[in-house]
Amino acid sequence: MMLKGVARWCSYLAVWPGAYVAAAVCRCIFLTDSAMGGRGVAAAAVFSFASGMGVYLLDRVKLSNSLLDPADAMARPEQHTMLTANATRLRAVVVGLLVLATLAGAWLSPWLTPLPILSAVGVVTYAGNLGGGVKSRTQRRRIKDLLGVKNGVVAAGITCFALFAAWAASGTTALSGGRLWLAAVGASLLLRVAADAALCDIDDWHADSQYGTRTLATELSPMLALRVGLAVRGFAAVIVLAAGRTIAPNPLAGDFACLLATATGLTTLLFLKVRPTNSQHFKAWVDAVFVVEVAVAYALARWG
């Protein structure tokens, strides 16, 4: 019971999305800069985790209570109640996380110093929180209400963040591999994040349909959205596998790419067996699985 409680609070406080962003950055580092030392990777993980958790938590608690999304209350009433009751303190946590991310980024590279704040501004704009709360929520469409655009913006944002962070953390030297390898690394991550973003919408499909947010789950069905998301996920794994077998810049990157693709294939098969419409925690599982895939694949490639 205690572990379930901890996992639930981690989900409420956006720990899993933060870990997801950190895994995306580490994935890019492992594929493009095998020479980076442990301290550099750890600092990059702290920077990206604090940035990711900070901006996702900001998206949940908003800039003020008047901007809280009624669809969130319908989809996750327990989470919404907790966030509303502690909103002021959680906004202070957001500030602390963004400060931590800024300091870690400055330690890694001056290029990373403004990135957490810019990411926060981007999330506020993406969620439509600049214009006045629930009233404007029902009168105008936000970016995140548009079919395909929502997942595309999230995927592009995380992919660009991860690639830029990997480049800056490497000392702004040329990343390992030619343009084709870097294109494969970026394209596979873009597709994977877009697929995972679509899967994360499944939990909220009923509330989204009531409040006009168009997702694959609302336009098709939760189970069909699951299959489409897993298909895109599998295609991203094929790109990683093919690139790892043919154009990897070094043996470690090639082994990591192949193991990552294998891990993705195995978890995709597992997800085919689930029924996400019966769970309010499918989103957390999607995030956590990506983290485990990256960690296990790198551990096996490095020390296996």
Side-chain angles (χ1 to χ4, degrees):
M1 292 295 293
M2 181 178 178
L3 288 177
K4 286 184 178 180
V6 171
R8 185 168 62 251
W9 274 86
C10 286
S11 179
Y12 292 168
L13 299 177
V15 171
W16 301 127
Y20 188 100
V21 174
V25 171
C26 290
R27 176 190 188 272
C28 289
I29 291 173
F30 296 153
L31 288 171
T32 60
D33 189 4
S34 59
M36 184 178 293
R39 289 179 62 188
V41 173
V46 170
F47 162 76
S48 50
F49 173 79
S51 297
M53 181 177 172
V55 297
Y56 270 92
L57 187 56
L58 174 60
D59 183 50
R60 293 180 182 180
V61 299
K62 315 301 184 188
L63 296 174
S64 70
N65 285 358
S66 65
L67 296 169
L68 292 172
D69 193 337
D72 292 340
M74 181 177 181
R76 301 169 186 277
E78 185 178 346
Q79 173 180 296
H80 183 78
T81 299
M82 188 280 291
L83 293 177
T84 303
N86 298 279
T88 300
R89 280 172 285 190
L90 291 176
R91 290 181 192 117
V93 172
V94 169
V95 173
L97 287 167
L98 294 178
V99 169
L100 174 61
T102 300
L103 293 175
W107 186 85
L108 281 164
S109 167
W111 289 93
L112 294 178
T113 305
L115 201 55
I117 302 304
L118 293 175
S119 299
V121 172
V123 166
V124 169
T125 304
Y126 153 80
N129 293 331
L130 294 175
V134 175
K135 181 179 179 181
S136 63
R137 168 72 176 91
T138 59
Q139 290 179 344
R140 62 183 175 83
R141 286 294 182 91
R142 306 168 300 172
I143 294 174
K144 67 186 297 183
D145 291 329
L146 304 177
L147 179 63
V149 176
K150 174 184 180 181
N151 300 147
V153 168
V154 171
I158 291 179
T159 300
C160 291
F161 182 95
L163 288 171
F164 184 79
W167 170 78
S170 69
T172 64
T173 57
L175 297 176
S176 300
R179 292 181 180 179
L180 191 58
W181 172 252
L182 294 177
V185 171
S188 60
L189 181 60
L190 181 72
L191 290 172
R192 173 60 187 268
V193 178
D196 285 348
L199 295 178
C200 286
D201 290 333
I202 293 175
D203 274 356
D204 303 333
W205 75 273
H206 183 63
D208 284 341
S209 64
Q210 295 294 313
Y211 283 91
T213 298
R214 301 179 64 199
T215 67
L216 285 180
T218 64
E219 299 303 303
L220 303 175
S221 72
M223 290 310 301
L224 190 53
L226 174 69
R227 293 187 175 93
V228 171
L230 293 181
V232 176
R233 206 171 178 269
F235 184 60
V238 170
I239 293 175
V240 171
L241 179 62
R245 294 291 299 271
T246 57
I247 56 175
N250 55 68
L252 179 59
D255 290 345
F256 174 62
C258 293
L259 287 165
L260 192 61
T262 302
T264 300
L266 292 174
T267 58
T268 297
L269 292 176
L270 289 175
F271 275 136
L272 283 172
K273 302 295 183 181
V274 306
R275 292 295 181 267
T277 52
N278 296 329
S279 170
Q280 285 297 302
H281 305 290
F282 187 63
K283 184 180 298 187
W285 279 108
V286 171
D287 291 339
V289 161
F290 180 65
V291 177
V292 172
E293 287 176 16
V294 172
V296 171
Y298 184 72
L300 290 175
R302 187 87 181 187
W303 299 291

